[in-house]
């Protein structure tokens, strides 16, 4: 075991604080990663505050990890010391179910292991990226292309793949009108990626405060959802709406913005259930769907795509002592557009 410094929530009601955790010894197929940067995802906050239900404490959140390999186990073939690598939301899965075999480890039916707030196959709790180092099986590690700086690459490991995967699956591309709902960490990557895929992108945000940024990131249009006229003007417009909103929404109002056969795809994970009038999908043969992160191979594909198109996240780099303040700013929709922790400050 190796003792490493980390930031942890001791309980659901307490702020995060500096502590130490134990990382396992490097096993045959493991890589030891010196973590350089860790993004703050809204999911970290939902979990650290038990918004999604009972959680495991102490909790070291962080599933947007970028770093450098410093040691490899004897069986490792994919990585070598010095490689620039990333780790996202999963550090293991059953490897045998149909989904694992199809590269859809995020939908593993045999039991996947989250990067934190989970119990590993060895029975030990997993701890995430707000730490100096992490040990991960090489099959759950991806390569960060040279063209991407590690700080702006870190958020791609969750925000990037969670938007890339559904945008690809629902064929965002030339000739398609795509709306991105919510312009936070996921949303701003959704705008960049949908634009790079060739779609005509509209941002639907609570206000017009971030309009200039949205247009710079690749949106052609930007509307405020606080303005009722938005819903009149955009009725029946979109082929695809990607919702990244972290709070319950009026789904019926947004489904009315889809054209016939359009899809509303939800990646936001609010803590409360939402209501739906099923007539909202009957008329116009509409689809209401969800999507969770992405598989390991698709995460690599997304990183390669982002490097090719020069897409990193827009970040505010913070020191570890600023994590609790950053959480409050995320909760207030005051993030431009992802907080990233410089782990050298832990
Ligand atoms: P974030 O940075 O806080 O962005 C969420 C955005 O939603 C905000 O910036 C805001 O955008 C909008 N929003 C927030 N509260 C709202 C409200 N009450 N009404 C309307 N809009 C509101 O969070 P994130 O890190 O991008 O994560 C977004 C959600 O996705 C979270 O619930 C997270 O847990 C979830 N998530 C899911 C997956 C998955 O695999 N499905 C993966 C990662 C994260 P505007 O200011 O533009 O309105
Ligand atoms: Zn996340
Ligand atoms: Zn599986």
């Amino acid at each position: 075991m190796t003792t490493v410094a980390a930031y942890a929530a001791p309980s659901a009601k307490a702020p995060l604080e500096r502590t130490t955790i134990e990382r396992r010894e490097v096993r045959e197929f493991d890589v030891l990663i010196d973590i350089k940067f860790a993004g703050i995802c809204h999911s970290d906050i939902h979990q650290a505050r038990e918004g999604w239900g009972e959680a495991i404490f102490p909790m070291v959140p962080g599933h947007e990890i970028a770093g450098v390999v410093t040691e490899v186990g004897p069986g490792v073939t994919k990585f070598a010391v010095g490689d620039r690598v990333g780790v996202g939301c999963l550090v293991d899965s059953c490897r045998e179910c149909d989904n694992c075999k199809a590269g859809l480890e995020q939908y593993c039916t045999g039991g996947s292991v989250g990067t934190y707030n989970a119990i590993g196959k060895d029975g030990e709790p997993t701890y995430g990226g707000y730490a100096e180092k992490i040990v991960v099986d090489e099959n759950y590690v991806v390569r960060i292309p040279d063209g991407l700086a590690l700080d702006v690459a870190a958020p791609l490991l969750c925000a990037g793949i969670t938007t890339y995967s559904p945008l690809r699956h629902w064929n965002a591309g030339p000739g398609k009108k795509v709306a991105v709902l919510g312009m936070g960490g996921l949303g701003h990557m959704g705008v960049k990626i949908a634009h790079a895929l060739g779609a005509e992108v509209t941002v639907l945000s609570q206000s017009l405060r971030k309009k200039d940024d949205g247009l710079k990131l690749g949106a052609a249009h930007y509307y405020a959802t606080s303005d009722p006229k938005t819903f009149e003007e955009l009725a029946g417009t979109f082929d695809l709406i990607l919702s990244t909103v972290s709070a319950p929404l009026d789904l019926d109002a947004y489904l009315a913005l889809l054209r016939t056969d359009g899809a509303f795809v939800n990646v936001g994970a609010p803590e409360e259930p939402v209501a739906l009038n099923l007539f909202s999908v009957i008329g116009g043969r509409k689809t209401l769907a969800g999507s969770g992160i992405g598989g390991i191979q698709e995460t690599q594909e997304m990183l390669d795509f982002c490097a090719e198109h020069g897409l990193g996240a827009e970040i505010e780099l913070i020191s570890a002592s600023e994590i609790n303040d950053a959480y409050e700013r995320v909760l207030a929709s005051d993030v431009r557009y992802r907080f990233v922790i410089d782990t050298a400050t832990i």
Side-chain angles (χ1 to χ4, degrees):
M1 300 281 241
T2 313
T3 303
V4 306
Y7 256 70
S11 71
K13 299 279 176 284
L16 280 77
E17 58 187 35
R18 190 177 188 280
T19 186
T20 57
I21 52 168
E22 299 297 315
R23 293 297 191 192
R24 67 174 184 248
E25 290 305 319
V26 173
R27 298 177 191 147
E28 188 172 5
F29 301 107
D30 282 344
V31 299
L32 174 64
I33 301 166
D34 192 355
I35 300 174
K36 301 292 186 193
F37 300 100
I40 294 180
C41 178
H42 204 123
S43 302
D44 298 348
I45 306 174
H46 289 301
Q47 291 176 87
R49 301 194 173 177
E50 287 195 322
W52 290 342
E54 201 179 323
I56 302 167
F57 294 97
M59 182 190 299
V60 178
H63 57 212
E64 294 187 334
I65 298 169
V68 176
V69 174
T70 54
E71 191 183 333
V72 296
V76 168
T77 58
K78 297 178 181 166
F79 299 100
V81 170
D83 285 355
R84 303 160 80 250
V85 294
V87 177
C89 301
L90 293 179
V91 290
D92 212 337
S93 66
C94 85
R95 310 177 189 209
E96 285 166 1
C97 72
D98 290 348
N99 287 338
C100 280
K101 285 185 187 151
L104 296 168
E105 296 89 350
Q106 76 274 33
Y107 307 125
C108 172
T109 54
S112 59
V113 180
T115 304
Y116 66 88
N117 191 24
I119 300 293
K121 287 180 180 170
D122 56 6
E124 297 295 325
T126 56
Y127 297 117
Y130 301 3
E132 293 173 314
K133 300 171 197 292
I134 191 168
V135 178
V136 184
D137 183 294
E138 65 167 339
N139 290 311
Y140 297 82
V141 177
V142 287
R143 188 174 297 280
I144 296 180
D146 286 340
L148 284 173
L150 290 182
D151 54 357
V152 300
L156 302 180
L157 276 302
C158 178
I161 184 60
T162 302
T163 49
Y164 179 85
S165 183
L167 287 168
R168 289 299 308 270
H169 187 78
W170 276 274
N171 300 313
K176 293 289 175 66
K177 291 188 175 175
V178 173
V180 175
L181 181 49
M183 205 174 81
L186 266 56
H188 94 287
M189 283 314 308
V191 172
K192 287 189 179 206
I193 293 169
H195 175 64
L197 289 168
E200 182 182 323
V201 182
T202 299
V203 174
L204 302 174
S205 182
Q206 291 166 97
S207 73
L208 296 179
R209 273 186 303 148
K210 298 178 276 194
K211 180 174 178 179
D212 290 349
D213 290 345
L215 299 181
K216 254 185 247 151
L217 300 183
H221 318 280
Y222 200 105
Y223 287 85
T225 55
S226 54
D227 183 351
K229 284 207 283 301
T230 292
F231 292 87
E232 289 167 28
E233 200 176 321
L234 297 179
T237 298
F238 300 109
D239 298 286
L240 174 63
I241 300 175
L242 181 65
S243 175
T244 70
V245 172
S246 49
L249 275 180
D250 180 354
L251 284 183
D252 302 308
Y254 290 98
L255 286 162
L257 305 187
L258 292 173
R259 62 201 308 175
T260 302
D261 284 332
F264 181 101
V265 179
N266 181 77
V267 293
E271 298 175 6
E272 307 297 332
V274 294
L276 172 68
N277 181 337
L278 284 166
F279 281 101
S280 298
V281 289
I282 290 173
R285 195 167 54 186
K286 292 167 184 171
T287 301
L288 172 61
S291 182
I293 47 173
I296 303 301
Q297 200 187 319
E298 193 176 34
T299 303
Q300 186 63 62
E301 180 189 310
M302 174 278 306
L303 286 169
D304 296 343
F305 176 89
C306 287
E308 192 185 314
H309 293 267
L311 308 181
E314 304 298 309
I315 65 166
E316 283 190 52
L317 194 61
I318 61 168
S319 62
S321 61
E322 296 173 285
I323 292 171
N324 293 299
D325 292 339
Y327 274 24
E328 293 308 318
R329 284 189 51 199
V330 171
L331 289 169
S333 299
D334 178 24
V335 49
R336 309 268 172 116
Y337 284 88
R338 199 56 141 185
F339 290 108
V340 171
I341 304 160
D342 177 353
T343 55
T345 63
I346 290 180

